[in-house]
Amino acid sequence: MTISDNIKRVEDCIAAVCARADRDPAEITLVAVSKQKTVAEILEAVEAGLQHLGENRVEEGMGKIPQVNELASGGVTWHMVGHVQSRKAKHVFPYFDIVQSVDSLKLAKRLSRLAGERNRSLTAFLEINVSGEASKYGLAGYNWYRDNSIKDSLWTEVALIAALPHLAIKGLMTMAPFDAEEQAIRRVFADLRALRDEMTTQLQVPLPELSMGMTNDYHIAIEEGATMIRVGRAIFGERV
Ligand SMILES: *Cc1c(COP(=O)(O)O)cnc(C)c1O
């Protein structure tokens, strides 16, 4: 199987799930997560038609992104999907177009300041830890609909982040537990969507994008309302 065969298969799967869920496949953006993959492999995905690429480490992106951008025939949008350490935040610029993994007020403030110094605005999503796993990054959102203290601090943080002058918050991102039962995974995605709906009305922050679903669970995420899925292994093969 080539990378372009894999992409075709993922796109067919997206179409099939959308047909079942009564959704339009045009609503779903496929982000190919190219971490640990070579420039040549990434270019294969771009030549096969993909325009959205994701990396989870700033330094790895700094190495590959300029090469891919120079050699790619069409324009590519780069998504940062992994945790960004504060001291590396400045290197997000000018490589990444979207930071999906804004997981603290501190990082948000820093990115806004850095964007302002560059006379630009940075598109960002808020990463929410809905599953409650200690190993996951994200603003605390476990059980947000049952626990008022979680909801209050989340609302406060999101309002402060949304007010930052040089960040344009466009959506929410989450990761489901890796090897949980389908019901538990579905619950995480449904919770993120409900959170988005409630934040949008109560905080008046438009959050059109819901980035959720990876190789193992993107079919569930689409059924639960994902507008963006982040797929690595199903496109590029297993990572070693
Ligand atoms: C690696 C990664 C993905 C893609 O995972 P696959 O299982 O390879 O599809 C998606 N999102 C994030 C944040 C990642 O780090």
Side-chain angles (χ1 to χ4, degrees), residues 143-155:
N143 250 346
W144 66 271
Y145 45 90
R146 278 209 217 104
D147 184 335
N148 274 330
S149 70
I150 296 274
K151 186 174 165 184
D152 288 348
S153 43
L154 192 53
W155 256 231

Side-chain angles (χ1 to χ4, degrees), residues 3-220:
I3 287 171
S4 107
D5 292 334
N6 289 342
I7 291 170
K8 176 82 175 55
R9 239 181 2 184
V10 170
E11 285 172 345
D12 287 348
C13 180
I14 294 170
V17 179
C18 282
R20 248 185 7 240
D22 201 16
R23 296 193 59 192
D24 177 356
E27 294 169 10
I28 319 283
T29 302
L30 172 59
V31 178
V33 179
S34 53
K35 63 191 183 202
Q36 296 175 37
K37 298 298 168 180
T38 64
V39 168
E41 289 170 306
I42 299 170
L43 285 168
E44 248 183 276
V46 176
E47 297 318 317
L50 293 192
Q51 291 164 354
H52 292 267
L53 296 169
E55 288 283 336
N56 73 331
R57 303 189 50 167
V58 178
E59 297 96 328
E60 189 178 338
M62 290 166 72
K64 297 190 293 190
I65 290 170
Q67 297 179 58
V68 172
N69 287 352
E70 195 187 317
L71 296 168
S73 44
V76 170
T77 299
W78 286 95
H79 299 247
M80 179 66 208
V81 299
H83 175 62
V84 179
Q85 289 171 273
S86 287
R87 63 193 167 85
K88 300 207 175 129
K90 60 176 177 295
H91 300 305
V92 160
F93 306 90
Y95 303 98
F96 291 92
D97 304 291
I98 300 178
V99 176
Q100 295 202 9
S101 43
V102 172
D103 54 14
S104 69
L105 176 58
K106 182 181 170 199
L107 175 64
K109 282 181 173 166
R110 186 165 297 207
L111 288 171
S112 177
R113 177 174 54 74
L114 291 162
E117 286 166 8
R118 288 157 180 77
N119 287 312
R120 54 169 287 189
S121 162
L122 177 70
T123 301
F125 300 167
L126 302 174
E127 180 172 358
I128 312 286
N129 180 344
V130 182
S131 72
E133 292 165 286
S135 60
K136 287 211 175 8
Y137 288 103
L139 302 174
Y142 177 64
N143 250 346
W144 66 271
Y145 45 90
R146 278 209 217 104
D147 184 335
N148 274 330
S149 70
I150 296 274
K151 186 174 165 184
D152 288 348
S153 43
L154 192 53
W155 256 231
T156 305
E157 268 178 317
V158 171
L160 290 169
I161 294 173
L164 292 169
H166 305 288
L167 275 194
I169 304 295
K170 293 284 159 66
L172 302 181
M173 185 268 251
T174 203
M175 289 172 89
F178 283 115
D179 35 34
E181 305 265 306
E182 175 172 333
Q183 253 343 90
I185 293 171
R186 190 176 292 285
R187 179 62 175 276
V188 165
F189 295 150
D191 281 0
L192 188 75
R193 183 195 185 149
L195 178 63
R196 186 276 304 271
D197 293 347
E198 203 153 316
M199 268 181 189
T200 302
T201 41
Q202 295 184 1
L203 292 173
Q204 314 260 299
V205 185
L207 299 163
E209 300 287 354
L210 276 182
S211 175
M212 52 191 199
M214 320 194 330
T215 292
N216 286 345
D217 53 24
Y218 71 82
H219 58 290
I220 306 171

